[in-house]
Amino acid sequence: MTRTPTSIRRACLCLATAAGAGAVLLGAGPAAAHVEVEADKAQALAENVTLTFNAESESDRAGITSLRVVLPAGIVPTDVTYEDGPEGWTFGTAADGYTVKGPAVAVGADAEYSVRVRQLPDVEELAFKTLQGYGDGRVDRWIELGATSGHGHGNSAPVLKLGAAAPGATVKNPTPAASPTPAPSAPARPAPEASPANTPATGAAAESGGLSTGGWTAIATAVAAAVASLVYLLRRRSRAS
């Protein structure tokens, strides 16, 4: 039986150790970068809670420019307000969450920001799925859920563990979305002035078929004049004959 020289066995052992260490480092590298979340009051049903997110960079070529967050059930976008973040960054809500974005932070630097939540839901943990954008178009998706969530494994979403609700704590109604401003109503049109044709009959005119007293007087005068003229003509004709 041939014996392997001690020097060769030691060299093999060193190579195996180095290979194992390299594998560990390679496996740990991508998982070292992730998004973490902390709260000043990590308790179910806590009100006016400040959440602080820290997004670690995975790029050595471009800085972080945006963080798109999908809110967990129990938190609506109208209950979230922006508190602080990188210089020049802005905050905007969407139907399912919000986005903070702005000028790229320094290459390799973390992006940290904070928001205030009106009330946390009555649950044991909250997962905030996050899309992390860079200036060169790259996107890291921290959206996976499961047993390893919140521990920096794979592409896990940041998870916030919550303690039990305080005695007597109750669920508050969510802040309603802003209603659109009603359009101003058109000014009312003034009523048209009454004309003789549409002036309602009053008094005797209404009772006598629509003619006023003056109208009947004029008719009577005209009839009397016609009768007088007829009598005058008949008398002249009688005298002439």
Side-chain angles (χ1 to χ4, degrees):
M1 178 176 177
T2 304
R3 298 176 59 86
T4 304
T6 302
S7 58
I8 296 178
R9 290 201 304 269
R10 289 178 178 175
C12 291
L13 180 60
C14 290
L15 288 174
T17 302
V24 170
L25 291 175
L26 289 173
H34 53 280
V35 179
E36 296 178 343
V37 57
E38 296 179 349
D40 60 347
K41 292 178 285 187
Q43 186 176 25
L45 299 182
E47 299 182 46
N48 298 318
V49 179
T50 297
L51 302 180
T52 301
F53 292 83
N54 185 70
E56 299 180 4
S57 176
E58 269 198 329
S59 175
D60 57 0
R61 295 184 300 176
I64 301 170
T65 57
S66 67
L67 293 163
R68 167 81 165 91
V69 175
V70 177
L71 290 169
I75 302 178
V76 296
T78 52
D79 279 348
V80 180
T81 55
Y82 189 53
E83 286 201 335
D84 194 20
E87 184 177 357
W89 280 34
T90 59
F91 174 86
T93 59
D96 59 351
Y98 64 85
T99 299
V100 288
K101 62 181 180 179
V105 300
V107 176
D110 299 345
E112 183 174 294
Y113 73 94
S114 59
V115 295
R116 180 176 291 270
V117 178
R118 183 169 176 263
Q119 185 181 38
L120 300 181
D122 190 7
V123 295
E124 294 182 354
E125 66 178 28
L126 296 168
F128 298 86
K129 295 181 179 181
T130 302
L131 301 181
Q132 180 172 323
Y134 296 83
D136 60 356
R138 170 178 172 167
V139 177
D140 291 339
R141 303 176 182 275
W142 308 107
I143 59 175
E144 293 182 1
L145 303 176
T148 60
S149 294
H151 299 287
H153 299 292
N155 288 329
S156 300
V159 171
L160 178 66
K161 301 288 185 179
L162 300 182
T170 58
V171 178
K172 308 296 181 183
N173 292 328
T175 303
S179 58
T181 304
S185 58
R189 295 182 178 179
E193 295 183 1
S195 61
N198 59 16
T199 302
T202 58
E207 298 175 358
S208 56
L211 289 176
S212 64
T213 302
W216 284 109
T217 301
I219 292 175
T221 301
V223 172
V227 171
S229 298
L230 181 60
V231 171
Y232 175 75
L233 291 174
L234 290 175
R235 284 180 179 179
R236 287 191 62 181
R237 184 173 298 178
S238 176
R239 287 175 183 176
S241 61

